[in-house]
């Protein structure tokens, strides 16, 4: 018990000290909000060519601009989340200080411990997000400065570059890196498009197809991350090339050139290893995508064939029932005359109701026949345009197929209801016939 009392009193002391800092924490929160607003205003204007391609910039400068723009995009995405975290943190903090100005018993201690843990949890989340934001802001600042420095450096090289030592080798290396970076940029557009399509198709097809789609989507997302890392490596490789050119051509020194060459070799070994891993993963995903596309085509073909066979079978039955109803309607006039001769008004009223049902069902069968023939025509067109000699199912074809199958399913539901009415009519007519004949 003494230990418990000691802990409570210690907690009271700590809480009183913390309460003195409550206003300072509120000022910090206000400062954070002000910071967010300033960053939003600054980053929204400071685009530095984001979303544009400046052909006058060298690849080295463009890579730094790309890194800057990617960091800026992450900053703009983080700000609303950070603002929300701060908005969640402030009431949790207020709730703690409102309820825990002092701790007087064990129940109060437990409550305050719980509220304190929530405050710590939310504070930790805010701090972590602020740290990530700070990293992206630093990356923005460094990439922006490096872009300016590289632009000036490239200009100096063009004006001052002299000599032939390593010139050709460095030029070839630079061209290689630039070509590689251009390919990576082109890959981003392709991969993002694939990611969009896979995300849209993730719940379509069989469970196996959905699982493969999810796996491929995960792989594409990972490949995009590898692509981003490779672009950063390209930037480092270009800086190493420029450093080697400066040390070995512009401001030659034996030791400086040797160090630059060694650093260049190390950086290119790292870049080659990364590009090899990236290329292998890209090829693996391409093969996985090819398998996925073939399966999608196969499943679409199977689904369409099954639907067509079902419709063809139903069409024959509907046509037979249509002929039967047509004959019954044509004979109904004579049958009605015979029933009228029996001088039983109830019988003729009942039979008139059956005739109306026959006519109604005949109208339904006419509609089904037309609808089924239209389905068959559309299915044949779908197979010709989207399945035959195809190795993948386009997004348009996939959507077209889904719409068609939904229409078929909806129509088959109506056919089932029609079938129940048709069977009921046959049953009623059989019973009516027995009643009229007296058997």
């Amino acid at each position: 018990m003494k230990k418990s009392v000691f802990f409570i009193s210690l907690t009271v002391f700590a809480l009183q000290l913390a309460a003195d800092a409550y206003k300072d924490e509120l000022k910090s929160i206000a400062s954070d909000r002000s910071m967010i607003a300033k960053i939003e205003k600054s980053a929204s204007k400071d685009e530095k060519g984001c979303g544009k391609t400046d052909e006058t910039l060298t690849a080295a400068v463009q890579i730094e601009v790309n890194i800057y723009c990617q960091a800026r995009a992450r900053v703009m995405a983080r700000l609303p989340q950070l603002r929300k975290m701060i908005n969640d943190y402030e009431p949790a903090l207020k709730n703690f200080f409102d309820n825990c100005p002092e701790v007087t018993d064990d129940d109060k201690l437990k409550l305050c411990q719980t509220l304190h843990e929530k405050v710590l949890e939310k504070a930790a989340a805010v701090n972590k997000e602020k740290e990530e934001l700070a990293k992206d802001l630093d990356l923005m600042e460094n990439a922006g400065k490096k872009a300016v420095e590289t632009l000036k450096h490239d200009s100096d090289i063009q004006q001052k570059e002299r000599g032939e030592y390593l010139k050709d080798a460095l030029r070839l290396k630079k061209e290689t890196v630039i070509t590689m970076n251009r390919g990576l940029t082109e890959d981003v557009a392709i991969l993002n498009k694939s990611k969009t399509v896979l995300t849209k198709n993730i719940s379509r097809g069989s469970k196996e197809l959905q699982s493969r789609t999810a796996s491929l989507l995960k792989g594409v997302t990972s490949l995009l991350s590898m692509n981003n890392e490779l672009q950063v490596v390209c930037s480092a490789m270009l800086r190493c090339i420029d450093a080697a050119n400066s040390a070995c051509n512009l401001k030659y020194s034996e030791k400086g050139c040797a160090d630059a060459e060694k650093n260049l070799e190390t950086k290119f070994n790292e870049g080659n290893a990364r590009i090899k891993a990236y290329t292998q993963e890209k090829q693996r995903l391409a093969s996985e995508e090819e398998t996925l596309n073939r399966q999608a085509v196969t499943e679409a073909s199977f689904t369409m064939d099954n639907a067509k066979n079902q419709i063809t079978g139903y069409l024959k039955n509907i046509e037979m029932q249509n002929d039967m109803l047509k004959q019954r309607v044509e004979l109904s006039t004579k049958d009605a005359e015979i029933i009228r001769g029996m001088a039983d008004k109830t019988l003729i009223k009942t039979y008139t109701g059956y005739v109306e049902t026959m006519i109604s069902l005949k109208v339904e069968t006419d509609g089904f026949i037309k609808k089924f023939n239209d389905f068959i025509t559309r299915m044949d067109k779908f197979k010709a345009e989207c399945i035959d000699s195809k190795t993948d199912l386009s997004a348009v074809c996939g959507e077209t197929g889904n719409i068609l199958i939904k229409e078929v399913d909806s129509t088959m539901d109506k056919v089932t209801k029609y079938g129940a009415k048709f069977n009921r009519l046959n049953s009623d007519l059989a019973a009516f016939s027995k009643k009229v004949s007296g058997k």
Side-chain angles (χ1 to χ4, degrees):
M1 182 63 185
K2 290 181 179 179
K3 186 176 182 180
S4 176
V5 170
F6 173 73
F7 182 71
I8 291 173
S9 62
L10 185 61
T11 304
V12 169
F13 179 67
L15 293 177
Q16 287 171 343
L17 288 178
D20 292 337
Y22 181 42
K23 290 183 179 180
D24 290 338
E25 188 64 17
L26 291 178
K27 290 180 181 179
S28 177
I29 290 173
S31 177
D32 284 344
R33 286 177 173 146
S34 177
M35 173 197 69
I36 292 172
K38 289 178 180 178
I39 294 174
E40 276 182 330
K41 184 177 180 180
S42 176
S44 64
K45 295 179 180 179
D46 194 10
E47 294 184 349
K48 294 192 185 303
C50 293
K52 302 175 183 178
T53 301
D54 189 344
E55 299 294 338
T56 64
L57 295 178
T58 64
V61 177
Q62 188 62 57
I63 287 174
E64 296 297 342
V65 171
N66 290 346
I67 294 173
Y68 172 91
C69 292
Q70 290 166 6
R72 175 181 174 273
R74 290 194 295 272
V75 166
M76 295 301 290
R78 286 187 193 283
L79 294 177
Q81 178 65 17
L82 179 57
R83 182 183 286 110
K84 182 179 183 302
M85 288 180 174
I86 292 172
N87 289 342
D88 291 341
Y89 169 63
E90 185 178 15
L93 187 69
K94 184 178 185 302
N95 191 27
F96 172 76
F97 282 109
D98 285 349
N99 287 279
C100 303
E102 61 178 315
V103 178
T104 56
D105 54 44
D106 287 340
D107 290 338
K108 190 71 170 181
L109 174 61
K110 290 179 182 179
L111 171 64
C112 290
Q113 285 176 329
T114 300
L115 295 178
H116 189 242
E117 288 173 0
K118 289 183 179 179
V119 170
L120 291 179
E121 180 183 346
K122 293 183 181 297
V126 170
N127 288 334
K128 183 178 179 181
E129 190 65 16
K130 286 170 68 176
E131 288 174 2
E132 295 300 321
L133 177 64
K135 291 178 184 178
D136 288 329
L137 288 171
D138 285 344
L139 187 58
M140 276 180 64
E141 182 180 356
N142 292 335
K145 288 180 179 178
K146 192 61 184 179
V148 174
E149 292 171 1
T150 305
L151 184 61
K152 183 179 184 303
H153 181 62
D154 287 347
S155 177
D156 291 341
I157 288 176
Q158 291 175 2
Q159 294 176 8
K160 300 177 181 178
E161 190 171 39
R162 297 292 186 270
E164 297 297 327
Y165 188 79
L166 288 182
K167 184 176 180 180
D168 290 340
L170 293 175
R171 177 179 55 80
L172 289 173
K173 285 182 179 294
K174 196 165 189 175
E175 288 177 356
T176 300
V177 175
I178 290 171
T179 301
M180 182 171 69
N181 187 71
R182 185 181 299 118
L184 290 170
T185 302
E186 292 172 353
D187 281 354
V188 169
I190 296 171
L191 291 172
N192 279 327
K193 184 176 180 181
S194 294
K195 187 177 179 180
T196 300
V197 173
L198 290 169
T199 301
K200 187 175 182 180
N201 293 338
I202 200 166
S203 60
R204 292 179 179 174
S206 64
K207 289 185 177 179
E208 181 185 359
L209 187 64
Q210 291 178 21
S211 176
R212 285 186 171 180
T213 301
S215 175
L216 184 57
L217 176 59
K218 184 178 179 181
V220 169
T221 302
S222 176
L223 195 63
L224 277 166
S225 179
M226 292 176 68
N227 183 294
N228 182 60
E229 292 172 359
L230 257 176
Q231 290 196 49
V232 175
V233 171
C234 284
S235 178
M237 291 166 74
L238 287 169
R239 286 197 291 269
C240 285
I241 292 172
D242 289 342
N245 185 61
S246 177
C248 299
N249 287 331
L250 303 180
K251 301 176 182 178
Y252 179 75
S253 73
E254 185 175 353
K255 184 179 184 305
C257 186
D259 290 343
E261 284 186 283
K262 184 177 180 180
N263 188 39
L264 186 61
E265 182 180 1
T266 301
K267 189 59 66 177
F268 263 80
N269 287 338
E270 178 190 350
N272 289 334
R274 284 177 175 267
I275 194 65
K276 181 179 179 181
Y278 174 82
T279 302
Q280 289 176 343
E281 179 64 5
K282 183 179 174 182
Q283 291 172 347
R284 185 188 72 80
L285 292 177
S287 176
E288 190 176 320
E289 183 179 30
E290 185 178 348
T291 301
L292 178 70
N293 288 335
R294 284 200 300 267
Q295 183 175 348
V297 171
T298 300
E299 288 193 8
S301 178
F302 180 78
T303 301
M304 207 58 66
D305 286 343
N306 275 356
K308 184 177 178 180
N309 291 336
Q310 182 184 28
I311 286 173
T312 302
Y314 270 91
L315 180 59
K316 292 179 180 178
N317 291 332
I318 291 292
E319 287 175 339
M320 291 174 58
Q321 291 167 1
N322 185 274
D323 290 340
M324 186 185 302
L325 289 167
K326 182 179 179 182
Q327 292 176 5
R328 285 179 175 175
V329 171
E330 290 175 350
L331 293 173
S332 64
T333 302
K334 293 182 180 180
D335 291 342
E337 289 298 326
I338 294 173
I339 294 171
R340 285 193 185 91
M342 296 180 179
D344 189 331
K345 292 183 179 180
T346 302
L347 290 177
I348 190 62
K349 182 178 180 181
T350 300
Y351 185 69
T352 300
Y354 292 150
V355 173
E356 289 175 355
T357 302
M358 293 177 200
I359 294 172
S360 175
L361 292 177
K362 174 68 170 53
V363 172
E364 282 193 66
T365 56
D366 287 339
F368 287 139
I369 291 171
K370 182 179 179 181
K371 195 73 173 176
F372 284 170
N373 283 319
D374 176 62
F375 283 152
I376 291 173
T377 299
R378 289 166 64 187
M379 288 176 177
D380 289 341
K381 182 180 179 181
F382 177 85
K383 291 207 66 176
E385 294 180 352
C386 298
I387 302 296
D388 295 343
S389 302
K390 301 291 183 181
T391 57
D392 64 339
L393 195 68
S394 69
V396 174
C397 283
E399 191 66 27
T400 300
N402 288 336
I403 291 173
L404 182 52
I405 293 301
K406 285 181 181 179
E407 287 186 34
V408 170
D409 291 341
S410 175
T411 302
M412 296 312 298
D413 290 341
K414 295 176 182 178
V415 169
T416 300
K417 295 177 182 178
Y418 155 81
K421 290 188 288 186
F422 183 83
N423 292 335
R424 176 64 183 272
L425 174 65
N426 286 339
S427 176
D428 289 345
L429 286 173
F432 183 77
S433 178
K434 287 181 180 181
K435 183 176 181 180
V436 170
S437 62
K439 295 181 181 181

